[in-house]
Coordinates of all heavy atoms in Angstrom, one line a residue:
I30 N 96.1 95.0 85.9 CA 97.5 95.5 86.0 C 98.4 94.7 85.0 O 99.1 95.2 84.3 CB 98.1 95.4 87.4 CG1 97.2 96.2 88.4 CG2 99.5 95.6 87.5 CD1 97.3 97.7 88.3
I31 N 98.1 93.4 85.0 CA 98.9 92.5 84.1 C 98.7 92.8 82.7 O 99.6 92.9 81.8 CB 98.7 91.0 84.4 CG1 99.2 90.7 85.8 CG2 99.2 90.1 83.4 CD1 98.8 89.3 86.4
T32 N 97.4 93.0 82.3 CA 97.0 93.3 80.9 C 97.7 94.6 80.5 O 98.3 94.7 79.5 CB 95.5 93.4 80.7 OG1 94.9 92.1 81.0 CG2 95.2 93.7 79.3
G33 N 97.7 95.7 81.3 CA 98.2 97.0 81.0 C 99.8 96.9 80.9 O 100.3 97.4 80.0
A34 N 100.3 96.1 81.9 CA 101.8 95.9 81.8 C 102.3 95.2 80.6 O 103.3 95.5 80.1 CB 102.3 95.2 83.1
K35 N 101.5 94.2 80.1 CA 101.9 93.4 78.9 C 101.9 94.3 77.8 O 102.8 94.2 76.9 CB 101.0 92.2 78.7 CG 101.3 91.0 79.6 CD 100.3 89.9 79.3 CE 100.6 88.7 80.2 NZ 99.7 87.6 79.9
K36 N 101.0 95.2 77.6 CA 101.0 96.1 76.5 C 102.1 97.0 76.4 O 102.5 97.6 75.3 CB 99.6 97.0 76.5 CG 98.4 96.1 76.2 CD 97.1 96.9 76.2 CE 96.0 96.0 75.9 NZ 94.8 96.6 75.2
L37 N 102.8 97.3 77.6 CA 104.0 98.1 77.6 C 105.2 97.2 77.8 O 106.3 97.8 78.0 CB 103.9 99.1 78.8 CG 102.7 100.1 78.7 CD1 102.6 100.9 80.0 CD2 102.9 101.0 77.4
N38 N 105.1 95.9 77.7 CA 106.2 95.0 77.9 C 107.0 95.2 79.1 O 108.1 95.1 79.2 CB 107.2 95.1 76.7 CG 106.6 94.7 75.3 OD1 105.9 93.7 75.2 ND2 106.8 95.6 74.3
I39 N 106.1 95.3 80.2 CA 106.7 95.4 81.6 C 106.3 94.2 82.4 O 105.2 93.8 82.5 CB 106.1 96.6 82.4 CG1 106.6 97.9 81.6 CG2 106.6 96.7 83.8 CD1 105.8 99.1 82.2
P40 N 107.4 93.4 82.9 CA 107.1 92.2 83.6 C 106.4 92.6 85.0 O 106.7 93.6 85.5 CB 108.4 91.5 83.8 CG 109.5 92.7 83.5 CD 108.8 93.7 82.6
V41 N 105.6 91.6 85.4 CA 104.9 91.8 86.7 C 105.3 90.7 87.7 O 105.4 89.5 87.3 CB 103.4 91.7 86.5 CG1 102.7 91.8 87.8 CG2 102.9 92.8 85.5
E42 N 105.6 91.1 88.9 CA 105.8 90.1 90.0 C 104.7 90.2 90.9 O 104.1 91.2 91.2 CB 107.1 90.6 90.7 CG 107.6 89.7 91.8 CD 108.7 90.1 92.6 OE1 109.5 91.0 92.0 OE2 109.0 89.7 93.7
L43 N 104.2 89.0 91.3 CA 103.0 88.8 92.2 C 103.6 88.3 93.6 O 104.3 87.3 93.6 CB 102.1 87.8 91.6 CG 101.2 88.2 90.5 CD1 100.4 87.0 89.9 CD2 100.3 89.4 90.8
I44 N 103.1 88.9 94.6 CA 103.4 88.4 95.9 C 102.0 88.3 96.6 O 101.3 89.2 96.8 CB 104.2 89.5 96.7 CG1 105.6 89.6 96.1 CG2 104.3 88.9 98.2 CD1 106.5 90.5 96.7
D45 N 101.7 87.0 96.9 CA 100.5 86.6 97.6 C 100.8 86.5 99.1 O 101.6 85.7 99.4 CB 99.9 85.4 97.1 CG 99.3 85.5 95.7 OD1 98.7 86.6 95.3 OD2 99.4 84.5 94.9
F46 N 100.1 87.3 99.9 CA 100.5 87.3 101.3 C 100.1 85.9 102.0 O 98.9 85.5 101.6 CB 99.8 88.4 102.0 CG 100.2 89.8 101.8 CD1 99.4 90.8 101.3 CD2 101.6 90.1 101.8 CE1 99.9 92.1 101.1 CE2 102.1 91.3 101.5 CZ 101.2 92.3 101.1
K47 N 101.0 85.3 102.6 CA 100.7 84.0 103.2 C 100.0 84.1 104.6 O 99.3 83.2 105.0 CB 101.9 83.2 103.3 CG 102.5 82.9 101.9 CD 103.7 82.1 102.0 CE 104.6 82.1 100.7 NZ 105.0 83.4 100.2
D48 N 100.3 85.2 105.3 CA 99.9 85.4 106.6 C 99.9 86.8 107.0 O 100.4 87.7 106.3 CB 100.7 84.6 107.6 CG 102.2 84.8 107.5 OD1 102.6 85.9 107.3 OD2 102.9 83.8 107.7
R49 N 99.3 87.1 108.2 CA 99.3 88.5 108.7 C 100.7 89.1 108.9 O 100.9 90.3 108.5 CB 98.6 88.4 110.0 CG 98.5 89.9 110.7 CD 97.9 89.8 112.1 NE 97.9 91.1 112.7 CZ 98.8 91.7 113.3 NH1 100.0 91.1 113.5 NH2 98.6 92.8 113.9
E50 N 101.7 88.3 109.3 CA 103.0 88.8 109.6 C 103.7 89.4 108.3 O 104.2 90.4 108.2 CB 103.9 87.7 110.2 CG 103.6 87.5 111.7 CD 102.3 86.7 111.8 OE1 101.9 85.9 110.9 OE2 101.7 86.8 112.9
E51 N 103.4 88.6 107.2 CA 104.0 89.0 105.8 C 103.3 90.3 105.4 O 104.0 91.2 104.9 CB 103.7 88.0 104.8 CG 104.6 88.2 103.6 CD 104.5 87.0 102.6 OE1 103.4 86.3 102.7 OE2 105.4 86.9 101.8
L52 N 102.0 90.4 105.5 CA 101.3 91.7 105.2 C 101.8 92.8 106.0 O 102.0 93.9 105.4 CB 99.7 91.4 105.3 CG 98.9 92.6 105.0 CD1 97.5 92.0 104.4 CD2 98.6 93.5 106.1
M53 N 101.9 92.6 107.3 CA 102.3 93.7 108.1 C 103.7 94.2 107.8 O 104.1 95.3 108.1 CB 102.3 93.3 109.6 CG 100.8 93.0 110.0 SD 99.7 94.5 110.0 CE 100.4 95.4 111.3
K54 N 104.5 93.3 107.3 CA 105.9 93.6 107.0 C 106.1 94.3 105.7 O 106.9 95.2 105.5 CB 106.8 92.3 107.0 CG 108.2 92.5 106.7 CD 108.9 91.2 106.7 CE 110.0 91.1 105.8 NZ 110.6 89.7 105.7
L55 N 105.2 94.0 104.7 CA 105.4 94.5 103.4 C 104.4 95.5 102.8 O 104.8 96.3 101.9 CB 105.4 93.3 102.3 CG 106.4 92.2 102.5 CD1 106.2 91.1 101.5 CD2 107.8 92.8 102.2
S56 N 103.2 95.4 103.3 CA 102.2 96.4 102.7 C 102.6 97.9 103.0 O 102.8 98.3 104.0 CB 100.8 96.1 103.4 OG 99.9 97.0 102.8
P57 N 102.6 98.6 101.9 CA 102.9 100.1 102.0 C 101.8 101.0 102.4 O 102.0 102.2 102.6 CB 103.3 100.4 100.6 CG 102.6 99.5 99.7 CD 102.5 98.3 100.5
T58 N 100.5 100.4 102.5 CA 99.3 101.2 102.9 C 98.6 100.4 104.0 O 98.8 99.1 104.1 CB 98.3 101.5 101.8 OG1 97.8 100.3 101.4 CG2 99.1 102.1 100.6
P59 N 97.8 101.0 104.8 CA 97.0 100.4 105.7 C 96.0 99.4 105.0 O 95.5 98.5 105.7 CB 96.3 101.5 106.5 CG 97.2 102.6 106.4 CD 97.8 102.5 105.0
Y60 N 95.6 99.7 103.7 CA 94.7 98.8 103.0 C 95.6 97.7 102.5 O 96.1 97.7 101.4 CB 94.1 99.6 101.9 CG 93.1 98.8 101.1 CD1 91.8 98.4 101.6 CD2 93.3 98.4 99.8 CE1 91.0 97.7 101.0 CE2 92.4 97.7 99.1 CZ 91.2 97.3 99.6 OH 90.3 96.6 99.0
G61 N 95.9 96.7 103.3 CA 96.8 95.7 103.0 C 96.5 94.6 102.0 O 97.3 93.7 101.7
I62 N 95.2 94.6 101.5 CA 94.9 93.6 100.6 C 95.3 93.7 99.2 O 95.2 92.7 98.4 CB 93.4 93.1 100.8 CG1 92.5 94.1 100.2 CG2 93.1 92.8 102.2 CD1 91.1 93.7 100.0
F63 N 95.6 94.9 98.7 CA 96.0 95.1 97.3 C 96.9 96.4 97.2 O 96.4 97.5 97.6 CB 94.8 95.3 96.5 CG 95.0 95.4 95.0 CD1 95.4 94.2 94.2 CD2 94.9 96.6 94.4 CE1 95.7 94.4 92.9 CE2 95.2 96.7 93.0 CZ 95.6 95.6 92.3
S64 N 98.0 96.3 96.7 CA 98.9 97.4 96.5 C 99.8 97.1 95.2 O 100.2 95.8 95.0 CB 100.0 97.6 97.6 OG 99.2 98.0 98.8
V65 N 100.0 98.1 94.4 CA 100.8 97.9 93.2 C 101.9 99.0 93.3 O 101.7 100.1 93.5 CB 100.0 98.2 91.9 CG1 100.9 97.9 90.7 CG2 98.7 97.2 91.8
I66 N 103.1 98.4 93.1 CA 104.3 99.3 93.3 C 105.2 99.2 92.0 O 105.3 98.2 91.5 CB 105.1 98.9 94.6 CG1 104.3 98.9 95.8 CG2 106.4 99.8 94.8 CD1 104.8 98.1 96.9
Y67 N 105.7 100.3 91.6 CA 106.6 100.4 90.5 C 107.7 101.4 90.7 O 107.3 102.6 91.0 CB 105.8 100.7 89.2 CG 106.5 100.6 88.0 CD1 107.3 99.5 87.6 CD2 106.5 101.6 87.0 CE1 108.0 99.3 86.5 CE2 107.2 101.5 85.8 CZ 107.9 100.3 85.5 OH 108.7 100.2 84.4
K68 N 108.9 100.9 90.5 CA 110.1 101.8 90.7 C 110.0 102.5 92.1 O 110.3 103.7 92.2 CB 110.2 102.9 89.5 CG 110.4 102.1 88.2 CD 110.6 103.2 87.2 CE 111.0 102.4 85.8 NZ 111.2 103.4 84.7
G69 N 109.7 101.8 93.1 CA 109.7 102.5 94.5 C 108.6 103.3 94.8 O 108.6 104.0 95.8
Q70 N 107.6 103.4 93.9 CA 106.4 104.3 94.1 C 105.1 103.6 94.1 O 104.9 102.6 93.4 CB 106.4 105.4 93.0 CG 107.6 106.3 93.1 CD 107.5 107.4 92.1 OE1 106.4 108.0 91.9 NE2 108.6 107.7 91.4
L71 N 104.2 104.0 94.9 CA 102.8 103.3 94.9 C 102.1 103.7 93.7 O 101.9 104.9 93.4 CB 102.2 103.8 96.2 CG 100.7 103.1 96.4 CD1 100.9 101.6 96.6 CD2 99.9 103.7 97.5
L72 N 101.7 102.8 92.9 CA 101.0 103.0 91.7 C 99.5 103.2 92.0 O 98.9 104.0 91.6 CB 101.3 101.9 90.7 CG 100.6 102.1 89.3 CD1 101.4 103.2 88.5 CD2 100.6 100.7 88.5
T73 N 99.0 102.2 92.8 CA 97.6 102.2 93.2 C 97.4 101.2 94.4 O 98.2 100.3 94.6 CB 96.7 101.9 92.1 OG1 95.3 102.2 92.5 CG2 96.8 100.5 91.6
F74 N 96.3 101.4 95.1 CA 95.9 100.4 96.0 C 94.4 100.2 95.7 O 93.6 99.5 96.5 CB 96.1 100.7 97.5 CG 95.5 102.0 98.0 CD1 94.2 102.1 98.5 CD2 96.2 103.2 97.9 CE1 93.8 103.3 99.0 CE2 95.7 104.4 98.3 CZ 94.5 104.4 98.9
H75 N 93.9 100.8 94.6 CA 92.5 100.6 94.1 C 92.5 99.8 92.7 O 93.6 99.8 92.1 CB 91.9 101.9 93.8 CG 91.6 102.8 95.1 ND1 90.8 102.5 96.1 CD2 92.3 103.9 95.4 CE1 90.8 103.4 96.9 NE2 91.7 104.3 96.6
R76 N 91.4 99.3 92.4 CA 91.3 98.6 91.1 C 91.3 99.7 90.0 O 90.6 100.8 90.2 CB 90.0 97.8 91.1 CG 89.8 97.1 89.7 CD 88.6 96.2 89.8 NE 87.4 97.1 89.5 CZ 86.2 96.7 89.3 NH1 86.0 95.4 89.5 NH2 85.2 97.5 89.1
L77 N 92.1 99.5 89.0 CA 92.2 100.4 87.9 C 91.7 99.7 86.6 O 91.8 98.6 86.5 CB 93.6 100.9 87.6 CG 94.3 101.7 88.8 CD1 95.7 101.9 88.4 CD2 93.6 103.1 89.1

């Protein structure tokens, strides 16, 4: 994600979940260990 974003000059923000509560509050999918969001839309929750 970071490599692709750099090629388009798009900055990336990383949020590492510290605990279950944070994951439950922020994750947009039930697959809470990886999500990529851009402009309010889910880009992916899979490796691309």
Side-chain angles (χ1 to χ4, degrees):
I30 300 294
I31 292 170
T32 300
K35 279 184 181 177
K36 291 185 181 208
L37 298 174
N38 295 315
I39 299 173
V41 179
E42 181 179 342
L43 288 173
I44 297 177
D45 292 324
F46 294 129
K47 296 172 195 67
D48 53 36
R49 178 185 181 277
E50 288 74 29
E51 189 175 30
L52 183 146
M53 295 297 288
K54 180 178 152 188
L55 296 175
S56 181
T58 72
Y60 183 70
I62 67 166
F63 184 75
S64 296
V65 182
I66 305 164
Y67 187 50
K68 296 185 177 182
Q70 296 184 39
L71 182 67
L72 188 72
T73 189
F74 58 92
H75 295 292
R76 185 177 79 174
L77 298 175

